[in-house]
Amino acid sequence: MIRTGAEYRDSIRGTRDIYIDGEKVSDVTAHPAFRPIVDIRARIYDMQHEAAFREVMTCEENGERNAIGNKLPRTQQDWWDKRRATDTVLNEVSGVVTRVGDETVGEMWSLYDGQDVLAEIDPAFARNIETHIHKVLREDPFHVSANTDPKGDRSKAPQDQDPDMLLHVVKETDAGIVVRGAKYETAAAYANQAFTKPTIANWGNAALSDYAVGFICDLNSPGLKFICRSGFAQRNPDDYPLATRHDEVDTLVIFDNVLIPWENVLFYRHTKAATFIRATLHRYSAFAFVQRNLKVADMMIGAALFNARQTGLDKQQAVQEKLAELACYREMISAHLTAAITLAEPSPSGLLMPNQSMLYTGRYLACSQLHQMMHIARELCGGQICVTPNAAAFEHPETKAFLEKYYSVNDAWVADDRRRLLAFARDLLNSDYAGHRLTFQLFAQSPPFNHLAAVYRNFDWDSPLAFVKESAGLSDRVTAGTPAAAASPADSAVRKYFSDRDAGAAARRAAE
């Protein structure tokens, strides 16, 4: 059943070993570095119970209310519902939060699609993933997905250096496996559980490996330590309105001989399963990740357009062209999300995946062009985002009058609103928090080269080959023995869309 914010807070209080800035945290829900983002996650839980949001944030299945974000996607409507729910959350919290659960639970659905792969080594592993899929629906935990490893020496196999550099199994017991190593994961210090799996497919040539392991980790487990980076939240919110509300704290999670019960093990010493999950990990979760970029684009457009309008620069053609570039970036992301739903495709387990080529192409474009769009927005906001005094200067009796004079443009744009807008734009585009978010977007799901690798694996190469073969008058020899030999020159996704639509119409006519 859906949780409340109070239940979530209670679930993360206790005996966790959490460290930040060289100090141990006694209560993660109250510490100033964590409290704002914990409050946002709690707010999301509470929204599910409120009349204004209940129908948007939840759905009813088998007589129970479940979070829309956790619902297994089986129809296009499911994806539209998820998109609307995410927009509703981001509007309510007035900003962008990425690691709040809905965007990481989808990574388990990828393994749900690979149950046949898991069953090859042990049918219990396939049953475990199905159990956890439904456990997430029933218990509504804050679920994250353990993300990446300490890098170590990449020229060496894990076994040829400090064995703990990558997470691995050190022994088996009747109760489960014992693991040691480390993982980086955003939000781990204040989440409930993590889907922990290998990041770097470098296990040597052995068919089995102690490093090829995936499991659900209860983040209250004994033996875990959370070493967090310094937060951005402990500042004046008048000067840093985004960082102080939406900073999601990244954590190095140390696994010091942590017991993982057998029922939480999803695969173990199974390199094929590990390879499968690395190749398919983001087939669902990329959708929510890309959707966040859409909201970032809205923030850049709003900040840039307000800054241009306050001084009348929005009437200049050169300014309008730059604003149009931001609009094109935003609409490009929206178009790929919309197409990914409209041209969605069935998965091996019978779920409905967003169209993989559209989704991964949208992800690459959104992430690879973000720095350019930030630069355009920075140009439109102007140099005042880096020279404006802080909020305290606008209130000091000896400086207030001067700042009110020089920061007021007209009756519509007085000093207080201009200061607030410039502080927002600075935090979005020019602060250390802004730089952190830019790097996070580049690497949060995988390195940029992997974004293109996913496009390469999922693009339909055969239709363009078939089109050029016909257009150039090439012989059948050039496609002999390849899928392109039987391909149509028509766009495969559009062709399938009309095929499914026509089949549905025929079925309805037959039923009548």
Side-chain angles (χ1 to χ4, degrees), residues 459-472 483-495:
F459 182 73
D460 172 28
W461 300 100
D462 296 328
S463 292
L465 288 174
F467 183 73
V468 171
K469 176 178 177 292
E470 295 299 319
S471 184
S488 164
D491 184 292
S492 59
V494 175
R495 187 173 70 248

Side-chain angles (χ1 to χ4, degrees), residues 239-363:
D239 295 317
Y240 297 94
L242 297 176
T244 53
R245 287 181 291 157
H246 305 123
D247 182 27
E248 299 170 82
V249 183
D250 311 293
T251 304
L252 179 63
V253 185
I254 309 297
F255 294 78
D256 187 13
N257 293 332
V258 176
L259 174 67
I260 307 299
W262 284 115
E263 60 266 25
N264 289 355
V265 178
L266 304 181
F267 58 87
Y268 168 44
R269 304 192 77 203
H270 191 358
T271 55
K272 184 176 179 181
T275 301
F276 174 85
I277 193 60
R278 291 316 311 172
T280 64
L281 184 63
H282 301 131
R283 63 167 42 155
Y284 301 99
S285 63
F287 187 92
F289 178 75
V290 174
Q291 187 177 350
R292 263 68 173 190
N293 286 27
L294 187 65
K295 209 64 175 179
V296 172
D298 284 339
M299 294 166 74
M300 290 191 293
I301 290 170
L305 184 53
F306 266 137
N307 270 283
R309 281 185 175 175
Q310 67 179 343
T311 54
L313 291 177
D314 60 313
K315 300 177 177 61
Q316 294 185 7
Q317 183 176 348
V319 171
Q320 292 175 356
E321 288 177 357
K322 290 184 181 298
L323 287 166
E325 285 190 67
L326 290 174
C328 286
Y329 173 73
R330 192 261 183 213
E331 296 294 66
M332 174 270 296
I333 298 172
S334 182
H336 278 87
L337 290 171
T338 301
I341 294 176
T342 305
L343 302 175
E345 48 197 324
S347 80
S349 67
L351 302 180
L352 192 68
M353 307 183 297
N355 182 278
Q356 297 293 277
S357 183
M358 290 293 179
L359 181 58
Y360 287 130
T361 302
R363 182 178 69 173

Side-chain angles (χ1 to χ4, degrees), residues 229-233 235 240 243 247 374 426-440:
R229 65 157 172 81
S230 294
F232 298 106
R235 300 176 173 182
Y240 297 94
D247 182 27
M374 289 179 69
R426 177 183 60 200
D427 212 10
L428 177 65
L429 304 167
N430 222 45
S431 67
D432 50 359
Y433 172 74
H436 170 268
R437 291 295 305 167
L438 175 60
T439 303
F440 183 89

